[in-house]
Every structure is written in structure tokens, then in C-alpha cells.
Amino acid sequence: MPGVKSKDSESFDEMYRRFKKQADRNLIVTECRARRFFESATERRKKNKINAKKKMLKRLYMLRRYESRL
């Protein structure tokens, strides 16, 4: 877990920025969203769109690979 200790003459805003950077580097927010039980409709649509794109690219790759053998 990220933790921030205050330095001499450092404002709260500076400490908060450092904490946010550490949290982003450790992917805490992303992992928290992934572990949530409830998924909103927009999140589901976004995931489905990404999966569909991956599936299409995989099929295209396999098709091109098959055609190159002929």
C-alpha cells in the first residue's frame, strides 16, 4: 500500500499529489474496480467492445496465417 510521510515545509496538496502518483503506479484504483461485484452498463459495454475487437483481430490473424500456407 502506498504511504506518504510529510517532508519539512510541504503542503497538504503536494503530499496528496505524491500519494495519488503512488496509488496510480500500484494500480490500486484499477484493481479495486476489477474486484467490485457490481458492474455498470457502460463498463459491461466497454469490456464487451474490447473483447469483440480482440476476437476479431485473432480471427483475422488466423485467417491470414491460413491463407499464407496456400
Side-chain angles (χ1 to χ4, degrees):
M1 286 303 266
V4 176
K5 292 184 180 178
S6 66
K7 298 177 182 175
D8 294 338
S9 68
E10 185 178 30
S11 70
F12 175 77
D13 293 330
E14 292 169 345
M15 284 177 38
Y16 183 61
R17 273 191 228 114
R18 284 196 301 133
F19 176 77
K20 282 185 7 181
K21 279 185 184 178
Q22 284 184 4
D24 287 343
R25 283 190 204 122
N26 292 333
L27 301 173
I28 291 174
V29 176
T30 308
E31 186 175 341
C32 187
R33 283 186 186 143
R35 290 175 184 250
R36 266 194 331 209
F37 177 75
F38 176 76
E39 270 186 341
S40 66
T42 54
E43 289 176 343
R44 269 187 259 128
R45 277 191 301 244
K46 190 175 180 181
K47 282 184 181 180
N48 288 341
K49 190 175 181 180
I50 291 170
N51 288 338
K53 187 182 279 188
K54 283 182 184 178
K55 190 174 183 180
M56 183 203 50
L57 289 173
K58 185 177 179 182
R59 284 184 180 176
L60 185 63
Y61 169 76
M62 295 301 282
L63 180 66
R64 286 183 178 164
R65 195 168 156 210
Y66 174 76
E67 288 178 354
S68 67
R69 289 187 201 169
L70 297 178

PDB file of all heavy atoms in Angstrom, residues 24-55:
ATOM      1  N   ASP A  24      -1.551   5.420  -8.365  1.00  0.00           N
ATOM      2  CA  ASP A  24      -1.635   5.125  -9.794  1.00  0.00           C
ATOM      3  C   ASP A  24      -0.577   4.114 -10.207  1.00  0.00           C
ATOM      4  O   ASP A  24      -0.847   3.212 -10.995  1.00  0.00           O
ATOM      5  CB  ASP A  24      -1.467   6.396 -10.627  1.00  0.00           C
ATOM      6  CG  ASP A  24      -2.687   7.290 -10.562  1.00  0.00           C
ATOM      7  OD1 ASP A  24      -3.757   6.805 -10.150  1.00  0.00           O
ATOM      8  OD2 ASP A  24      -2.566   8.484 -10.922  1.00  0.00           O
ATOM      9  N   ARG A  25       0.615   4.254  -9.692  1.00  0.00           N
ATOM     10  CA  ARG A  25       1.690   3.320 -10.043  1.00  0.00           C
ATOM     11  C   ARG A  25       1.390   1.911  -9.559  1.00  0.00           C
ATOM     12  O   ARG A  25       1.761   0.929 -10.201  1.00  0.00           O
ATOM     13  CB  ARG A  25       3.018   3.790  -9.449  1.00  0.00           C
ATOM     14  CG  ARG A  25       3.640   4.914 -10.194  1.00  0.00           C
ATOM     15  CD  ARG A  25       5.051   5.183  -9.710  1.00  0.00           C
ATOM     16  NE  ARG A  25       5.410   6.557 -10.015  1.00  0.00           N
ATOM     17  CZ  ARG A  25       5.786   7.462  -9.119  1.00  0.00           C
ATOM     18  NH1 ARG A  25       5.874   7.134  -7.839  1.00  0.00           N
ATOM     19  NH2 ARG A  25       6.074   8.682  -9.483  1.00  0.00           N
ATOM     20  N   ASN A  26       0.736   1.804  -8.415  1.00  0.00           N
ATOM     21  CA  ASN A  26       0.425   0.487  -7.849  1.00  0.00           C
ATOM     22  C   ASN A  26      -0.887  -0.087  -8.359  1.00  0.00           C
ATOM     23  O   ASN A  26      -1.300  -1.159  -7.929  1.00  0.00           O
ATOM     24  CB  ASN A  26       0.381   0.567  -6.324  1.00  0.00           C
ATOM     25  CG  ASN A  26       1.747   0.842  -5.746  1.00  0.00           C
ATOM     26  OD1 ASN A  26       2.763   0.507  -6.348  1.00  0.00           O
ATOM     27  ND2 ASN A  26       1.789   1.477  -4.597  1.00  0.00           N
ATOM     28  N   LEU A  27      -1.562   0.613  -9.257  1.00  0.00           N
ATOM     29  CA  LEU A  27      -2.818   0.166  -9.868  1.00  0.00           C
ATOM     30  C   LEU A  27      -3.897  -0.162  -8.843  1.00  0.00           C
ATOM     31  O   LEU A  27      -4.681  -1.090  -9.010  1.00  0.00           O
ATOM     32  CB  LEU A  27      -2.583  -1.037 -10.777  1.00  0.00           C
ATOM     33  CG  LEU A  27      -1.608  -0.846 -11.920  1.00  0.00           C
ATOM     34  CD1 LEU A  27      -1.362  -2.160 -12.615  1.00  0.00           C
ATOM     35  CD2 LEU A  27      -2.110   0.190 -12.894  1.00  0.00           C
ATOM     36  N   ILE A  28      -3.942   0.602  -7.771  1.00  0.00           N
ATOM     37  CA  ILE A  28      -4.902   0.334  -6.705  1.00  0.00           C
ATOM     38  C   ILE A  28      -6.331   0.583  -7.177  1.00  0.00           C
ATOM     39  O   ILE A  28      -7.231  -0.229  -6.954  1.00  0.00           O
ATOM     40  CB  ILE A  28      -4.586   1.180  -5.459  1.00  0.00           C
ATOM     41  CG1 ILE A  28      -3.292   0.664  -4.854  1.00  0.00           C
ATOM     42  CG2 ILE A  28      -5.718   1.160  -4.460  1.00  0.00           C
ATOM     43  CD1 ILE A  28      -2.779   1.467  -3.715  1.00  0.00           C
ATOM     44  N   VAL A  29      -6.554   1.700  -7.852  1.00  0.00           N
ATOM     45  CA  VAL A  29      -7.905   2.044  -8.296  1.00  0.00           C
ATOM     46  C   VAL A  29      -8.386   1.035  -9.330  1.00  0.00           C
ATOM     47  O   VAL A  29      -9.534   0.578  -9.293  1.00  0.00           O
ATOM     48  CB  VAL A  29      -7.941   3.478  -8.854  1.00  0.00           C
ATOM     49  CG1 VAL A  29      -9.304   3.813  -9.405  1.00  0.00           C
ATOM     50  CG2 VAL A  29      -7.536   4.476  -7.784  1.00  0.00           C
ATOM     51  N   THR A  30      -7.515   0.658 -10.253  1.00  0.00           N
ATOM     52  CA  THR A  30      -7.883  -0.303 -11.292  1.00  0.00           C
ATOM     53  C   THR A  30      -8.244  -1.647 -10.677  1.00  0.00           C
ATOM     54  O   THR A  30      -9.245  -2.275 -11.048  1.00  0.00           O
ATOM     55  CB  THR A  30      -6.710  -0.481 -12.276  1.00  0.00           C
ATOM     56  OG1 THR A  30      -6.293   0.791 -12.737  1.00  0.00           O
ATOM     57  CG2 THR A  30      -7.106  -1.339 -13.443  1.00  0.00           C
ATOM     58  N   GLU A  31      -7.449  -2.090  -9.735  1.00  0.00           N
ATOM     59  CA  GLU A  31      -7.719  -3.376  -9.089  1.00  0.00           C
ATOM     60  C   GLU A  31      -9.007  -3.326  -8.280  1.00  0.00           C
ATOM     61  O   GLU A  31      -9.791  -4.279  -8.268  1.00  0.00           O
ATOM     62  CB  GLU A  31      -6.554  -3.751  -8.178  1.00  0.00           C
ATOM     63  CG  GLU A  31      -6.678  -5.121  -7.583  1.00  0.00           C
ATOM     64  CD  GLU A  31      -5.461  -5.518  -6.774  1.00  0.00           C
ATOM     65  OE1 GLU A  31      -4.392  -4.908  -6.958  1.00  0.00           O
ATOM     66  OE2 GLU A  31      -5.595  -6.450  -5.973  1.00  0.00           O
ATOM     67  N   CYS A  32      -9.250  -2.213  -7.636  1.00  0.00           N
ATOM     68  CA  CYS A  32     -10.474  -2.048  -6.848  1.00  0.00           C
ATOM     69  C   CYS A  32     -11.695  -2.135  -7.748  1.00  0.00           C
ATOM     70  O   CYS A  32     -12.689  -2.788  -7.414  1.00  0.00           O
ATOM     71  CB  CYS A  32     -10.441  -0.714  -6.121  1.00  0.00           C
ATOM     72  SG  CYS A  32     -11.784  -0.482  -4.976  1.00  0.00           S
ATOM     73  N   ARG A  33     -11.641  -1.503  -8.922  1.00  0.00           N
ATOM     74  CA  ARG A  33     -12.758  -1.564  -9.860  1.00  0.00           C
ATOM     75  C   ARG A  33     -12.962  -2.988 -10.376  1.00  0.00           C
ATOM     76  O   ARG A  33     -14.084  -3.435 -10.576  1.00  0.00           O
ATOM     77  CB  ARG A  33     -12.507  -0.630 -11.032  1.00  0.00           C
ATOM     78  CG  ARG A  33     -12.749   0.807 -10.708  1.00  0.00           C
ATOM     79  CD  ARG A  33     -12.635   1.665 -11.939  1.00  0.00           C
ATOM     80  NE  ARG A  33     -12.739   3.058 -11.557  1.00  0.00           N
ATOM     81  CZ  ARG A  33     -12.060   4.023 -12.103  1.00  0.00           C
ATOM     82  NH1 ARG A  33     -11.203   3.776 -13.075  1.00  0.00           N
ATOM     83  NH2 ARG A  33     -12.213   5.262 -11.716  1.00  0.00           N
ATOM     84  N   ALA A  34     -11.867  -3.687 -10.609  1.00  0.00           N
ATOM     85  CA  ALA A  34     -11.971  -5.048 -11.132  1.00  0.00           C
ATOM     86  C   ALA A  34     -12.561  -6.004 -10.099  1.00  0.00           C
ATOM     87  O   ALA A  34     -13.243  -6.971 -10.457  1.00  0.00           O
ATOM     88  CB  ALA A  34     -10.596  -5.545 -11.558  1.00  0.00           C
ATOM     89  N   ARG A  35     -12.344  -5.740  -8.831  1.00  0.00           N
ATOM     90  CA  ARG A  35     -12.822  -6.631  -7.783  1.00  0.00           C
ATOM     91  C   ARG A  35     -14.245  -6.313  -7.317  1.00  0.00           C
ATOM     92  O   ARG A  35     -14.826  -7.055  -6.541  1.00  0.00           O
ATOM     93  CB  ARG A  35     -11.890  -6.574  -6.580  1.00  0.00           C
ATOM     94  CG  ARG A  35     -10.556  -7.207  -6.856  1.00  0.00           C
ATOM     95  CD  ARG A  35      -9.631  -7.007  -5.677  1.00  0.00           C
ATOM     96  NE  ARG A  35      -8.324  -7.539  -5.970  1.00  0.00           N
ATOM     97  CZ  ARG A  35      -7.828  -8.618  -5.395  1.00  0.00           C
ATOM     98  NH1 ARG A  35      -8.522  -9.265  -4.505  1.00  0.00           N
ATOM     99  NH2 ARG A  35      -6.623  -9.041  -5.714  1.00  0.00           N
ATOM    100  N   ARG A  36     -14.777  -5.188  -7.776  1.00  0.00           N
ATOM    101  CA  ARG A  36     -16.136  -4.829  -7.390  1.00  0.00           C
ATOM    102  C   ARG A  36     -17.119  -5.856  -7.936  1.00  0.00           C
ATOM    103  O   ARG A  36     -16.941  -6.393  -9.024  1.00  0.00           O
ATOM    104  CB  ARG A  36     -16.499  -3.470  -7.972  1.00  0.00           C
ATOM    105  CG  ARG A  36     -16.248  -2.340  -7.056  1.00  0.00           C
ATOM    106  CD  ARG A  36     -16.914  -1.099  -7.531  1.00  0.00           C
ATOM    107  NE  ARG A  36     -17.058  -1.024  -8.969  1.00  0.00           N
ATOM    108  CZ  ARG A  36     -17.096   0.091  -9.651  1.00  0.00           C
ATOM    109  NH1 ARG A  36     -16.976   1.231  -9.043  1.00  0.00           N
ATOM    110  NH2 ARG A  36     -17.256   0.079 -10.967  1.00  0.00           N
ATOM    111  N   PHE A  37     -18.174  -6.105  -7.202  1.00  0.00           N
ATOM    112  CA  PHE A  37     -19.175  -7.067  -7.655  1.00  0.00           C
ATOM    113  C   PHE A  37     -20.050  -6.456  -8.733  1.00  0.00           C
ATOM    114  O   PHE A  37     -20.297  -7.053  -9.769  1.00  0.00           O
ATOM    115  CB  PHE A  37     -20.039  -7.529  -6.479  1.00  0.00           C
ATOM    116  CG  PHE A  37     -21.132  -8.455  -6.882  1.00  0.00           C
ATOM    117  CD1 PHE A  37     -20.854  -9.768  -7.211  1.00  0.00           C
ATOM    118  CD2 PHE A  37     -22.443  -8.027  -6.961  1.00  0.00           C
ATOM    119  CE1 PHE A  37     -21.862 -10.629  -7.597  1.00  0.00           C
ATOM    120  CE2 PHE A  37     -23.451  -8.872  -7.352  1.00  0.00           C
ATOM    121  CZ  PHE A  37     -23.157 -10.177  -7.665  1.00  0.00           C
ATOM    122  N   PHE A  38     -20.521  -5.258  -8.515  1.00  0.00           N
ATOM    123  CA  PHE A  38     -21.456  -4.633  -9.443  1.00  0.00           C
ATOM    124  C   PHE A  38     -20.703  -3.966 -10.585  1.00  0.00           C
ATOM    125  O   PHE A  38     -19.733  -3.258 -10.380  1.00  0.00           O
ATOM    126  CB  PHE A  38     -22.295  -3.578  -8.709  1.00  0.00           C
ATOM    127  CG  PHE A  38     -23.207  -2.827  -9.622  1.00  0.00           C
ATOM    128  CD1 PHE A  38     -24.364  -3.411 -10.098  1.00  0.00           C
ATOM    129  CD2 PHE A  38     -22.900  -1.552 -10.015  1.00  0.00           C
ATOM    130  CE1 PHE A  38     -25.203  -2.724 -10.940  1.00  0.00           C
ATOM    131  CE2 PHE A  38     -23.735  -0.843 -10.861  1.00  0.00           C
ATOM    132  CZ  PHE A  38     -24.888  -1.434 -11.322  1.00  0.00           C
ATOM    133  N   GLU A  39     -21.151  -4.242 -11.805  1.00  0.00           N
ATOM    134  CA  GLU A  39     -20.599  -3.585 -12.981  1.00  0.00           C
ATOM    135  C   GLU A  39     -21.695  -2.753 -13.619  1.00  0.00           C
ATOM    136  O   GLU A  39     -22.788  -3.259 -13.864  1.00  0.00           O
ATOM    137  CB  GLU A  39     -20.126  -4.614 -14.012  1.00  0.00           C
ATOM    138  CG  GLU A  39     -18.716  -5.037 -13.868  1.00  0.00           C
ATOM    139  CD  GLU A  39     -18.313  -5.937 -15.026  1.00  0.00           C
ATOM    140  OE1 GLU A  39     -19.191  -6.494 -15.708  1.00  0.00           O
ATOM    141  OE2 GLU A  39     -17.121  -6.077 -15.238  1.00  0.00           O
ATOM    142  N   SER A  40     -21.410  -1.512 -13.880  1.00  0.00           N
ATOM    143  CA  SER A  40     -22.420  -0.679 -14.528  1.00  0.00           C
ATOM    144  C   SER A  40     -22.561  -1.088 -15.988  1.00  0.00           C
ATOM    145  O   SER A  40     -21.715  -1.794 -16.542  1.00  0.00           O
ATOM    146  CB  SER A  40     -22.043   0.792 -14.432  1.00  0.00           C
ATOM    147  OG  SER A  40     -20.879   1.043 -15.170  1.00  0.00           O
ATOM    148  N   ALA A  41     -23.614  -0.624 -16.623  1.00  0.00           N
ATOM    149  CA  ALA A  41     -23.881  -0.981 -18.014  1.00  0.00           C
ATOM    150  C   ALA A  41     -22.773  -0.467 -18.934  1.00  0.00           C
ATOM    151  O   ALA A  41     -22.375  -1.151 -19.875  1.00  0.00           O
ATOM    152  CB  ALA A  41     -25.228  -0.431 -18.446  1.00  0.00           C
ATOM    153  N   THR A  42     -22.264   0.714 -18.647  1.00  0.00           N
ATOM    154  CA  THR A  42     -21.204   1.263 -19.501  1.00  0.00           C
ATOM    155  C   THR A  42     -19.929   0.442 -19.383  1.00  0.00           C
ATOM    156  O   THR A  42     -19.234   0.226 -20.383  1.00  0.00           O
ATOM    157  CB  THR A  42     -20.903   2.727 -19.140  1.00  0.00           C
ATOM    158  OG1 THR A  42     -20.605   2.818 -17.753  1.00  0.00           O
ATOM    159  CG2 THR A  42     -22.070   3.617 -19.464  1.00  0.00           C
ATOM    160  N   GLU A  43     -19.623  -0.029 -18.180  1.00  0.00           N
ATOM    161  CA  GLU A  43     -18.441  -0.878 -18.012  1.00  0.00           C
ATOM    162  C   GLU A  43     -18.592  -2.189 -18.764  1.00  0.00           C
ATOM    163  O   GLU A  43     -17.642  -2.661 -19.392  1.00  0.00           O
ATOM    164  CB  GLU A  43     -18.197  -1.163 -16.523  1.00  0.00           C
ATOM    165  CG  GLU A  43     -17.699   0.029 -15.750  1.00  0.00           C
ATOM    166  CD  GLU A  43     -17.570  -0.257 -14.268  1.00  0.00           C
ATOM    167  OE1 GLU A  43     -18.149  -1.255 -13.788  1.00  0.00           O
ATOM    168  OE2 GLU A  43     -16.901   0.522 -13.588  1.00  0.00           O
ATOM    169  N   ARG A  44     -19.786  -2.775 -18.704  1.00  0.00           N
ATOM    170  CA  ARG A  44     -20.026  -4.027 -19.435  1.00  0.00           C
ATOM    171  C   ARG A  44     -19.889  -3.827 -20.937  1.00  0.00           C
ATOM    172  O   ARG A  44     -19.270  -4.634 -21.625  1.00  0.00           O
ATOM    173  CB  ARG A  44     -21.420  -4.574 -19.115  1.00  0.00           C
ATOM    174  CG  ARG A  44     -21.415  -5.516 -17.934  1.00  0.00           C
ATOM    175  CD  ARG A  44     -22.758  -6.166 -17.761  1.00  0.00           C
ATOM    176  NE  ARG A  44     -23.414  -5.424 -16.676  1.00  0.00           N
ATOM    177  CZ  ARG A  44     -24.612  -4.884 -16.719  1.00  0.00           C
ATOM    178  NH1 ARG A  44     -25.357  -5.025 -17.778  1.00  0.00           N
ATOM    179  NH2 ARG A  44     -25.094  -4.216 -15.710  1.00  0.00           N
ATOM    180  N   ARG A  45     -20.477  -2.738 -21.441  1.00  0.00           N
ATOM    181  CA  ARG A  45     -20.380  -2.453 -22.876  1.00  0.00           C
ATOM    182  C   ARG A  45     -18.934  -2.246 -23.294  1.00  0.00           C
ATOM    183  O   ARG A  45     -18.497  -2.735 -24.339  1.00  0.00           O
ATOM    184  CB  ARG A  45     -21.192  -1.214 -23.229  1.00  0.00           C
ATOM    185  CG  ARG A  45     -22.654  -1.482 -23.434  1.00  0.00           C
ATOM    186  CD  ARG A  45     -23.319  -0.275 -24.020  1.00  0.00           C
ATOM    187  NE  ARG A  45     -23.156   0.871 -23.135  1.00  0.00           N
ATOM    188  CZ  ARG A  45     -24.149   1.504 -22.529  1.00  0.00           C
ATOM    189  NH1 ARG A  45     -25.388   1.145 -22.731  1.00  0.00           N
ATOM    190  NH2 ARG A  45     -23.919   2.515 -21.734  1.00  0.00           N
ATOM    191  N   LYS A  46     -18.188  -1.530 -22.473  1.00  0.00           N
ATOM    192  CA  LYS A  46     -16.781  -1.268 -22.788  1.00  0.00           C
ATOM    193  C   LYS A  46     -15.988  -2.568 -22.836  1.00  0.00           C
ATOM    194  O   LYS A  46     -15.199  -2.802 -23.757  1.00  0.00           O
ATOM    195  CB  LYS A  46     -16.199  -0.324 -21.729  1.00  0.00           C
ATOM    196  CG  LYS A  46     -14.836   0.210 -22.051  1.00  0.00           C
ATOM    197  CD  LYS A  46     -14.411   1.218 -21.005  1.00  0.00           C
ATOM    198  CE  LYS A  46     -13.050   1.768 -21.295  1.00  0.00           C
ATOM    199  NZ  LYS A  46     -12.619   2.729 -20.265  1.00  0.00           N
ATOM    200  N   LYS A  47     -16.200  -3.447 -21.857  1.00  0.00           N
ATOM    201  CA  LYS A  47     -15.499  -4.733 -21.838  1.00  0.00           C
ATOM    202  C   LYS A  47     -15.891  -5.596 -23.034  1.00  0.00           C
ATOM    203  O   LYS A  47     -15.045  -6.243 -23.649  1.00  0.00           O
ATOM    204  CB  LYS A  47     -15.792  -5.486 -20.540  1.00  0.00           C
ATOM    205  CG  LYS A  47     -15.010  -4.974 -19.364  1.00  0.00           C
ATOM    206  CD  LYS A  47     -15.276  -5.818 -18.137  1.00  0.00           C
ATOM    207  CE  LYS A  47     -14.512  -5.303 -16.956  1.00  0.00           C
ATOM    208  NZ  LYS A  47     -14.756  -6.098 -15.752  1.00  0.00           N
ATOM    209  N   ASN A  48     -17.181  -5.606 -23.349  1.00  0.00           N
ATOM    210  CA  ASN A  48     -17.642  -6.388 -24.494  1.00  0.00           C
ATOM    211  C   ASN A  48     -17.048  -5.870 -25.793  1.00  0.00           C
ATOM    212  O   ASN A  48     -16.690  -6.656 -26.674  1.00  0.00           O
ATOM    213  CB  ASN A  48     -19.169  -6.374 -24.577  1.00  0.00           C
ATOM    214  CG  ASN A  48     -19.811  -7.199 -23.486  1.00  0.00           C
ATOM    215  OD1 ASN A  48     -19.158  -8.042 -22.889  1.00  0.00           O
ATOM    216  ND2 ASN A  48     -21.075  -6.951 -23.213  1.00  0.00           N
ATOM    217  N   LYS A  49     -16.941  -4.566 -25.917  1.00  0.00           N
ATOM    218  CA  LYS A  49     -16.360  -3.970 -27.117  1.00  0.00           C
ATOM    219  C   LYS A  49     -14.887  -4.350 -27.252  1.00  0.00           C
ATOM    220  O   LYS A  49     -14.416  -4.714 -28.334  1.00  0.00           O
ATOM    221  CB  LYS A  49     -16.508  -2.446 -27.054  1.00  0.00           C
ATOM    222  CG  LYS A  49     -16.180  -1.724 -28.314  1.00  0.00           C
ATOM    223  CD  LYS A  49     -16.479  -0.239 -28.161  1.00  0.00           C
ATOM    224  CE  LYS A  49     -16.174   0.513 -29.426  1.00  0.00           C
ATOM    225  NZ  LYS A  49     -16.468   1.949 -29.282  1.00  0.00           N
ATOM    226  N   ILE A  50     -14.157  -4.302 -26.156  1.00  0.00           N
ATOM    227  CA  ILE A  50     -12.736  -4.677 -26.164  1.00  0.00           C
ATOM    228  C   ILE A  50     -12.586  -6.153 -26.515  1.00  0.00           C
ATOM    229  O   ILE A  50     -11.739  -6.526 -27.330  1.00  0.00           O
ATOM    230  CB  ILE A  50     -12.085  -4.352 -24.802  1.00  0.00           C
ATOM    231  CG1 ILE A  50     -11.987  -2.835 -24.616  1.00  0.00           C
ATOM    232  CG2 ILE A  50     -10.715  -5.000 -24.682  1.00  0.00           C
ATOM    233  CD1 ILE A  50     -11.593  -2.415 -23.220  1.00  0.00           C
ATOM    234  N   ASN A  51     -13.419  -7.014 -25.915  1.00  0.00           N
ATOM    235  CA  ASN A  51     -13.343  -8.454 -26.196  1.00  0.00           C
ATOM    236  C   ASN A  51     -13.691  -8.757 -27.644  1.00  0.00           C
ATOM    237  O   ASN A  51     -13.072  -9.631 -28.267  1.00  0.00           O
ATOM    238  CB  ASN A  51     -14.257  -9.228 -25.260  1.00  0.00           C
ATOM    239  CG  ASN A  51     -13.721  -9.260 -23.842  1.00  0.00           C
ATOM    240  OD1 ASN A  51     -12.534  -9.074 -23.621  1.00  0.00           O
ATOM    241  ND2 ASN A  51     -14.598  -9.474 -22.886  1.00  0.00           N
ATOM    242  N   ALA A  52     -14.681  -8.049 -28.197  1.00  0.00           N
ATOM    243  CA  ALA A  52     -15.059  -8.264 -29.591  1.00  0.00           C
ATOM    244  C   ALA A  52     -13.917  -7.878 -30.527  1.00  0.00           C
ATOM    245  O   ALA A  52     -13.636  -8.573 -31.514  1.00  0.00           O
ATOM    246  CB  ALA A  52     -16.308  -7.465 -29.923  1.00  0.00           C
ATOM    247  N   LYS A  53     -13.241  -6.777 -30.204  1.00  0.00           N
ATOM    248  CA  LYS A  53     -12.120  -6.340 -31.034  1.00  0.00           C
ATOM    249  C   LYS A  53     -10.986  -7.367 -30.988  1.00  0.00           C
ATOM    250  O   LYS A  53     -10.402  -7.712 -32.013  1.00  0.00           O
ATOM    251  CB  LYS A  53     -11.613  -4.983 -30.555  1.00  0.00           C
ATOM    252  CG  LYS A  53     -10.566  -4.363 -31.463  1.00  0.00           C
ATOM    253  CD  LYS A  53     -10.068  -3.048 -30.921  1.00  0.00           C
ATOM    254  CE  LYS A  53     -11.032  -1.947 -31.259  1.00  0.00           C
ATOM    255  NZ  LYS A  53     -10.496  -0.610 -30.919  1.00  0.00           N
ATOM    256  N   LYS A  54     -10.700  -7.890 -29.789  1.00  0.00           N
ATOM    257  CA  LYS A  54      -9.657  -8.910 -29.652  1.00  0.00           C
ATOM    258  C   LYS A  54     -10.006 -10.163 -30.446  1.00  0.00           C
ATOM    259  O   LYS A  54      -9.162 -10.751 -31.123  1.00  0.00           O
ATOM    260  CB  LYS A  54      -9.471  -9.285 -28.178  1.00  0.00           C
ATOM    261  CG  LYS A  54      -8.698  -8.299 -27.373  1.00  0.00           C
ATOM    262  CD  LYS A  54      -8.548  -8.805 -25.950  1.00  0.00           C
ATOM    263  CE  LYS A  54      -7.857  -7.831 -25.057  1.00  0.00           C
ATOM    264  NZ  LYS A  54      -7.765  -8.328 -23.676  1.00  0.00           N
ATOM    265  N   LYS A  55     -11.266 -10.570 -30.354  1.00  0.00           N
ATOM    266  CA  LYS A  55     -11.718 -11.768 -31.056  1.00  0.00           C
ATOM    267  C   LYS A  55     -11.602 -11.592 -32.567  1.00  0.00           C
ATOM    268  O   LYS A  55     -11.141 -12.484 -33.279  1.00  0.00           O
ATOM    269  CB  LYS A  55     -13.173 -12.060 -30.671  1.00  0.00           C
ATOM    270  CG  LYS A  55     -13.700 -13.391 -31.119  1.00  0.00           C
ATOM    271  CD  LYS A  55     -15.094 -13.611 -30.548  1.00  0.00           C
ATOM    272  CE  LYS A  55     -15.615 -14.967 -30.908  1.00  0.00           C
ATOM    273  NZ  LYS A  55     -16.963 -15.191 -30.352  1.00  0.00           N
TER     274      LYS A  55
END
